Amino acid sequence: MMRSLERHAVILGLLRQQEHVTIEAMAAACDASLQTIRRDLNQLGEDGRVVRYHGGARLADHARSATYEVRSASHVREKVAAGQLLARFIPDGATLFIAGGSTLALAAQELRACERLTIVTNNLHAAVTLYDKTGFDVCVLGGTMRPASGSMIGEEAVRMIERYSLDFAVIGTCGISPDGALLEYDQSLVPPLLAMIANARRTVLVADGSKFGAKGIVRAAPLSAVNHFVTDRAPEGPAADLLARTGVKVHHPANPNLTSEEAAADGRE
């Protein structure tokens, strides 16, 4: 059974996708009773994060703009550690997609240590961080902006991605399921992510260790689609077993596992 904080995350994820969600739909997503969901909504309402109405709820107006800042403030040290390793991994002169998410927005700051990168991104926060670095060529995808994350989504974003063939797709995730699925809270984020994977020679997942077992409601892609996993610490137990079974090459600060020269060759096979 989900703990209350996990249920709250799922409920807020549903409300970010849809303006109004019924209690029944929340209960089904959380595998919980209606009474439990009502208690959760009472708590979220007291915290000012949702507005209740008969039979359902919606996200509070201020919570929509605060969501990204809350995510950005969590596990910052771990995200920065992963971002620093990513900058060591990506070779100078590489071409790469950067997907949406707070982890990759922080990683973008570390990528400024690289030289002559060509970057195609739907992550507006990353683009703002990178656009003025001398020698970088940054393309921001068109489409519809998703206010909850500052990501460009929709058919136009996917069409633009499909015009490119790049060395790396650098992606994030809100969680990794025990059976090896990369999870998201919003279906609209999935098509651009899949298009980046399909149009890159190698896929690099950047995520801190807390993502294993974290909850999401949309299965975005299989972990087997990832070639390299850049993280803040060595995975242990079931997480390590899962990565070994799927053949993903793991890079963490204690064992970076790949030089820039090898990464360059690997990305351009």
Side-chain angles (χ1 to χ4, degrees), residues 35-226:
Q35 183 178 4
T36 296
I37 296 300
R38 290 189 182 98
R39 287 199 300 268
D40 289 334
L41 291 176
N42 286 339
Q43 180 62 59
L44 291 169
E46 291 173 5
D47 293 343
R49 303 171 77 181
V50 305
V51 175
R52 287 200 61 181
Y53 59 85
H54 182 69
R58 65 174 177 82
L59 204 61
D61 292 337
H62 73 87
R64 292 184 180 274
S65 60
T67 299
Y68 182 84
E69 284 73 18
V70 170
R71 289 201 309 275
S72 298
S74 66
H75 303 286
V76 171
R77 183 176 300 174
E78 293 85 350
K79 292 175 180 177
V80 169
Q84 289 172 341
L85 185 54
L86 176 69
R88 294 169 57 190
F89 173 80
I90 296 295
D92 292 342
T95 61
L96 58 150
F97 294 109
I98 297 179
S102 60
T103 297
L104 299 184
L106 284 171
Q109 182 62 47
E110 306 305 325
L111 286 174
R112 290 179 63 91
C114 299
E115 300 293 339
R116 306 183 314 280
L117 296 184
T118 298
I119 297 161
V120 178
T121 185
N122 67 334
N123 188 324
L124 298 184
H125 299 282
V128 167
T129 297
L130 295 167
Y131 81 96
D132 63 346
K133 169 65 191 278
T134 301
F136 277 20
D137 185 5
V138 179
C139 172
V140 180
L141 297 169
T144 302
M145 188 181 75
R146 180 176 181 266
S149 64
S151 297
M152 303 303 292
I153 57 174
E155 294 181 1
E156 179 60 26
V158 172
R159 283 195 293 269
M160 289 186 69
I161 292 168
E162 291 172 344
R163 298 173 190 165
Y164 292 89
S165 178
L166 304 186
D167 295 329
F168 300 100
V170 181
I171 67 172
T173 184
C174 73
I176 304 171
S177 71
D179 64 347
L182 304 183
L183 304 175
E184 290 294 344
Y185 280 120
D186 191 334
Q187 171 63 38
S188 68
L189 296 171
V190 176
L193 182 74
L194 293 177
M196 289 181 182
I197 293 172
N199 290 278
R201 285 174 276 282
R202 286 292 183 269
T203 297
V204 182
L205 173 65
V206 183
D208 66 84
S210 70
K211 301 301 184 182
F212 285 97
K215 302 298 182 183
I217 62 173
V218 179
R219 299 172 72 89
L223 185 58
S224 58
V226 172

